[in-house]
Amino acid sequence: MHLHILGICGTFMGGLALIARAAGHQVTGCDTGVYPPMSTQLQEQGIELIEGFDAAQTGIRPDLFVIGNVVTRGNPLMEAILDQGLPYVSGPQWLGDHVLQHQHVLAVAGTHGKTTTSSMLAWILQDAGLQPNFLIGGIATNLGISARYDQAQRYFVIEADEYDTAFFDKRSKFVHYHARTAILNNLEYDHADIFPDLAAIETQFHHLVRTVPQSGCIIYPPQDQALARVMQRGCWSQEDQFGPGGRWTFETDQADMSRFTVLYDGKPQGQVSWSRTGVHNANNALSAIAAASHVNVPVAAAIAALSRFSGIRRRMELRGTVNGIQVFDDFAHHPTAIETTLDGLRKQVGPRRILAILEPRSNTMKLGTMAARLPQALALADRIYCFGAKTGKHALGWDPAEVFGNSTVPAQGFNDLDLLVQEVSKQAQPDDVILVMSNGGFGGIHEKLLQALQQTATQTVS
């Protein structure tokens, strides 16, 4: 079957493309404004990409158009598909119907930590020799790719997003996934563009819980009030819990959580010693260990695997060092994730200056629903630089100068990326840490920063 994927360079749809090809299908796709690592990964895998959504693409005559949720009414190719009565389906539904129904699906849901926890879990299963299939919204260095599929293998790890499925299917993606082992890492308000309040998201998580079979297992932190409300609405599966009040906990003498002991019912199971930092990553590890245990991976093996887990691209990824100044890239864009990321970094670098650069690029952040929380979320930084376009699809609906007007940390707003880079490179000093946070490509800011820092260092020497 020939599938033509609309929105193929999104993390989910790009992974779906790799899986469809591995399942024996011919795959092509189209998108706009593509950026690495997904565009690079698809090209390396030999999948043909077409720039844009021109209506003439109906002339390719695939057997089926697979629609990503980036596509809306008014998209010229989608309008042509509808006008001509051509067959189409959403990406999550195609995946659920044609691939996941025949797998033991281990789904990782939650507002934060889905990519990291999914990667940890897939790595644990791989290290245990189970060769899992997976579809993850990022690329773990241990795995080398965001998606893999071999129909001979039994287990499938998937990052289970609560965002809606498509313009014609407003259910959350994860209800299509047929989860048998489900991690619910945390839950708070997000996606203000599609959910009116937290209660609406809780309902979608309740729908996910309803799809897990009686022999399945739902793993969650009991201290999370929103998830507690979800579980109180009904659960028909086995349950396991992690974090305070749960069966899986940890203890440590390390402020940055680079080493901790895993406990089960209060009994030590082994020690994770790794390059990750932060309490959030320790909790991600606990949930991954619990999920792996549900498919009979020994706890000691899971702990040993995590001690060799080397992280994910765009999750506190060191992009380069110039004149003692480190430039990190992170995907954080929700205030809670920003605060958590900065907390982990602060505990890692101690008194060194942190220059935080934020692009509020998600639909929720552009709307300004959580803008008032940003000064507190960034309070552990030493300087704050906020970027927001004035026009176009990434334009902010709020003014950074106003939001950060009473910030206790010196803060500046920019709508010109080159001016932002110039200002940061001028202010940066040896031994500083620059943390760039965005859920998009951010105009190649990392390379621009490294080049500007190198130029400044060269001028200083000369």
Side-chain angles (χ1 to χ4, degrees):
M1 178 178 283
H2 177 189
L3 307 178
H4 189 61
I5 300 177
L6 281 65
I8 193 171
C9 286
T11 51
F12 173 82
M13 298 301 283
L16 183 146
L18 300 181
I19 289 167
R21 204 183 74 150
H25 301 287
Q26 177 188 353
V27 180
T28 56
C30 61
D31 213 328
T32 58
V34 303
Y35 57 87
M38 188 55 67
S39 59
T40 304
Q41 179 174 262
L42 290 169
Q43 289 164 357
E44 288 173 348
Q45 296 297 316
I47 293 175
E48 180 187 350
L49 303 180
I50 299 173
E51 177 69 26
F53 296 97
D54 191 283
Q57 291 179 50
T58 57
I60 296 172
R61 292 295 167 186
D63 298 292
L64 184 66
F65 290 93
V66 184
I67 313 300
N69 69 0
V70 70
V71 176
T72 61
R73 288 302 306 266
N75 176 293
L77 178 53
M78 191 68 233
E79 293 301 316
I81 291 169
L82 293 171
D83 283 341
Q84 297 174 38
L86 301 176
Y88 66 92
V89 69
S90 74
Q93 183 171 346
W94 183 88
L95 185 71
D97 290 349
H98 296 276
V99 175
L100 299 182
Q101 215 163 36
H102 311 294
Q103 301 270 288
H104 180 125
V105 176
L106 299 96
V108 181
T111 308
H112 314 293
K114 292 186 291 294
T115 301
T116 300
T117 306
S118 300
S119 299
M120 289 179 184
L121 179 54
W123 168 240
I124 289 170
L125 299 190
Q126 178 168 305
D127 198 57
L130 298 179
Q131 296 302 311
N133 299 316
F134 53 83
L135 199 172
I136 301 169
I139 300 176
T141 53
N142 297 82
L143 302 171
I145 197 167
S146 69
R148 183 173 70 200
Y149 179 64
D150 177 353
Q151 62 182 357
Q153 302 302 324
R154 179 184 180 193
Y155 298 107
F156 198 115
V157 177
I158 189 166
E159 180 174 332
D161 188 5
E162 71 272 23
Y163 208 79
D164 60 9
T165 296
F167 75 86
F168 51 87
D169 182 352
K170 292 305 177 183
R171 293 172 293 174
S172 288
K173 293 177 184 175
F174 54 40
V175 300
H176 293 284
Y177 294 164
H178 312 291
R180 187 166 292 272
T181 305
I183 295 174
L184 314 182
N185 254 350
N186 42 63
L187 180 54
E188 62 176 303
Y189 186 56
D190 197 4
H191 309 309
D193 53 322
I194 61 170
F195 293 117
D197 49 35
L198 179 57
I201 308 177
E202 290 176 10
T203 294
Q204 293 299 319
F205 272 72
H206 173 62
H207 294 164
L208 170 60
V209 169
R210 281 180 169 273
T211 68
V212 179
Q214 186 175 1
S215 58
C217 184
I218 298 172
I219 300 159
Y220 66 98
Q223 76 278 12
D224 189 300
Q225 294 183 0
L227 287 178
R229 289 192 294 270
V230 169
M231 299 303 289
Q232 286 166 6
R233 294 174 71 170
C235 179
W236 299 265
S237 313
Q238 301 171 39
E239 297 181 34
D240 205 356
Q241 300 176 335
F242 67 93
R247 304 188 74 179
W248 298 93
T249 56
F250 62 78
E251 60 183 17
T252 184
D253 57 2
Q254 301 294 307
D256 66 357
M257 298 301 298
S258 58
R259 185 176 66 244
F260 59 91
T261 298
V262 176
L263 308 175
Y264 183 68
D265 285 340
K267 298 177 182 177
Q269 303 296 308
Q271 187 177 82
V272 174
S273 180
W274 59 357
S275 59
R276 305 298 92 198
T277 59
V279 172
H280 62 297
N281 274 322
N283 280 319
N284 291 338
L286 290 179
S287 64
I289 292 169
S293 179
H294 185 238
V295 293
N296 300 314
V297 174
V299 177
I303 290 171
L306 287 175
S307 293
R308 295 189 296 275
F309 181 73
S310 54
I312 306 163
R313 296 180 194 173
R314 305 214 62 206
R315 301 306 191 277
M316 283 307 297
E317 178 184 6
L318 179 62
R319 295 293 296 268
T321 303
V322 176
N323 197 28
I325 303 167
Q326 293 178 302
V327 177
F328 285 93
D329 180 24
D330 196 86
F331 200 71
H333 52 280
H334 185 286
T336 299
I338 291 166
E339 186 171 11
T340 301
T341 297
L342 270 168
D343 180 66
L345 181 60
R346 175 56 73 197
K347 287 173 178 172
Q348 181 182 3
V349 304
R352 295 169 62 188
R353 289 204 319 165
I354 298 175
L355 311 185
I357 304 174
L358 174 67
E359 181 190 30
R361 189 177 184 274
S362 71
N363 290 332
T364 298
M365 295 310 297
K366 285 187 298 184
L367 287 170
T369 308
M370 301 181 187
R373 293 178 54 187
L374 288 175
Q376 178 59 38
L378 289 155
L380 288 175
D382 294 282
R383 295 191 72 89
I384 299 167
Y385 305 87
C386 183
F387 176 81
K390 282 192 171 182
T391 59
K393 68 176 183 178
H394 297 310
L396 291 183
W398 48 277
D399 183 2
E402 181 179 337
V403 168
F404 289 99
N406 296 320
S407 171
T408 58
V409 178
Q412 294 174 265
F414 292 85
N415 53 55
D416 185 303
L417 186 58
D418 291 334
L419 288 179
L420 186 156
V421 169
Q422 290 173 21
E423 179 64 19
V424 174
S425 62
K426 182 174 70 174
Q427 294 290 337
Q429 303 167 9
D431 208 37
D432 279 354
V433 178
I434 299 175
L435 173 61
V436 180
M437 292 173 283
S438 171
N439 66 332
F442 205 164
I445 188 174
H446 315 90
E447 288 304 317
K448 290 181 179 180
L449 268 173
L450 291 168
Q451 290 171 10
L453 291 169
Q454 186 62 58
Q455 186 175 23
T456 300
T458 302
Q459 291 171 349
T460 302
V461 171
S462 61

